[in-house]
């Protein structure tokens, strides 16, 4: 494969990349080095895969594992979760962050119970029609749970493709049409192999082709990598987006939710006022939680996790 400059990523996606040369070494590496994660085991089923995909968005595996196991022990099927108030999903979400994912997963579980008899659908279009399920999650569940042929583009996969095929250190900040086209072009033709490829490229990005310190010596396709062939050029595109937390509304929201998760009865405003000293930011964070459906206001200045 010929290295392509970082500024020419769209052109790379429109070319005809030699995916076949990448498939076997990456899949063989995965067979030898894949982590034993509970959602990859056969007993996880499609529901276990779906729960993991919701939880793993923007959250590392080590933080997800204990919450995932507790979640599946309590709600082994979608109907079990749907039978409880959405606030219980928020409570069980704990400190995984981005708690709206808990509400979306609860909404998806309710839709699965109502539309599909309690079984996670196999059809990609039906998955995509579930509340809270976007392009990535639908493709991931169809691929990982049902062995179907879909491009599964998370941050790790996008980084592997950017380096190995497009010759760029990092992919664009947001997924582009060119990346989707490239991912489709790289898919193996056979469904089981395509599903294995999706999981393998994700694992390669998570363990070896990492964002800050790629371990090229361990990479099964280092000799084919366009980025290495180009001399590993530094990123030339827009600045990479860093995540901040301390002092943000996200931190205040998290502190407010932590109080409500621990409470067994509605919490008075005066208790929530002790969470954060700055009253304007605290009020804004609380209003945001109410607007997002994560907190339910009651008469008398009381608040609780949502029951409906």
């Amino acid at each position: 494969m010929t290295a392509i400059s970082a500024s020419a990523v769209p052109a790379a996606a429109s070319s005809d990349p030699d995916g076949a040369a990448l498939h076997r070494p990456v899949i063989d590496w995965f067979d030898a080095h894949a982590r034993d994660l509970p959602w990859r085991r056969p007993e996880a089923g499609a529901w276990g895969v779906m729960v993991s995909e919701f939880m793993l968005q923007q959250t590392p595996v080590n933080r997800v594992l204990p919450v995932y196991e507790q979640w599946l022990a309590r709600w082994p099927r979608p109907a079990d979760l749907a039978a409880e108030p959405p606030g219980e999903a928020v409570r069980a979400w704990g400190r995984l962050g981005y708690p709206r994912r808990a509400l979306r997963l609860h909404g998806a579980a309710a839709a699965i119970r109502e539309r599909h008899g309690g079984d996670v659908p196999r059809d990609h279009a039906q998955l995509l029609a579930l509340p809270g399920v976007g392009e990535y999650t639908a493709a991931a569940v169809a691929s990982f749970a049902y062995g179907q042929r879909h491009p599964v583009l998370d941050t790790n996969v996008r980084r592997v493709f950017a380096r190995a095929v497009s010759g760029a250190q990092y992919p664009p900040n947001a997924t582009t049409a060119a990346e989707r086209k490239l991912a489709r072009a790289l898919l193996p033709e056979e469904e089981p192999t395509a599903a294995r490829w999706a999981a393998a490229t994700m694992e390669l990005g998570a363990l070896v082709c990492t964002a800050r310190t790629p371990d090229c010596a361990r990479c099964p396709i280092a000799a084919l990598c366009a980025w290495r062939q180009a001399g590993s050029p530094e990123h030339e595109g827009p600045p990479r987006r860093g995540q901040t937390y301390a002092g943000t509304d996200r931190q205040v929201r998290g502190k407010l939710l932590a109080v409500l998760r621990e409470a067994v009865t509605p919490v008075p405003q005066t208790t929530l006022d002790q969470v954060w000293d700055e009253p304007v930011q605290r009020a804004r964070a609380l209003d945001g939680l109410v607007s997002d459906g994560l907190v339910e206001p009651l008469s008398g200045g009381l608040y609780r996790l949502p029951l409906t």
Side-chain angles (χ1 to χ4, degrees), residues 24-37 40 61 196 199-209 215-221:
R24 182 45 52 197
V26 171
I27 292 173
D28 285 348
W29 172 87
F30 182 68
D31 289 343
H33 299 285
R35 290 169 292 180
D36 179 19
L37 299 173
R40 289 179 177 162
V61 166
R196 198 71 175 163
T201 50
M202 188 175 296
E203 191 80 334
L204 186 65
L207 299 184
V208 175
C209 193
D215 190 353
C216 298
R218 292 178 54 217
C219 180
I221 54 173

Side-chain angles (χ1 to χ4, degrees), residues 11-76:
S14 64
S15 65
D16 185 16
D18 184 13
L22 303 174
H23 296 157
R24 182 45 52 197
V26 171
I27 292 173
D28 285 348
W29 172 87
F30 182 68
D31 289 343
H33 299 285
R35 290 169 292 180
D36 179 19
L37 299 173
W39 45 85
R40 289 179 177 162
R41 299 169 191 162
E43 60 268 25
W47 174 237
V49 171
M50 175 172 281
V51 170
S52 75
E53 290 301 333
F54 271 80
M55 290 185 173
L56 287 165
Q57 294 167 20
Q58 299 179 285
T59 307
V61 166
N62 63 330
R63 288 181 57 200
V64 165
L65 279 169
V67 180
Y68 172 87
E69 291 169 350
Q70 293 164 11
W71 190 285
L72 267 296
R74 180 174 178 179
W75 298 307

Side-chain angles (χ1 to χ4, degrees), residues 114-130:
E114 294 164 7
R115 304 175 194 171
H116 304 289
D119 294 322
V120 177
R122 300 177 63 94
D123 182 75
H124 179 268
Q126 291 179 333
L127 286 167
L128 197 56
L130 294 173

Side-chain angles (χ1 to χ4, degrees), residues 261-276:
R261 282 198 308 268
E262 295 297 325
V264 295
T265 58
V267 175
Q269 177 79 57
T270 53
T271 300
L272 296 177
D273 287 346
Q274 299 173 27
V275 164
W276 196 256

Side-chain angles (χ1 to χ4, degrees), residues 278-299:
E278 211 290 300
V280 174
Q281 187 179 28
R282 185 181 65 237
R284 184 172 64 242
L286 183 57
D287 287 346
L289 290 171
V290 172
S291 177
D292 290 341
L294 290 162
V295 172
E296 183 178 345
L298 305 174
S299 60

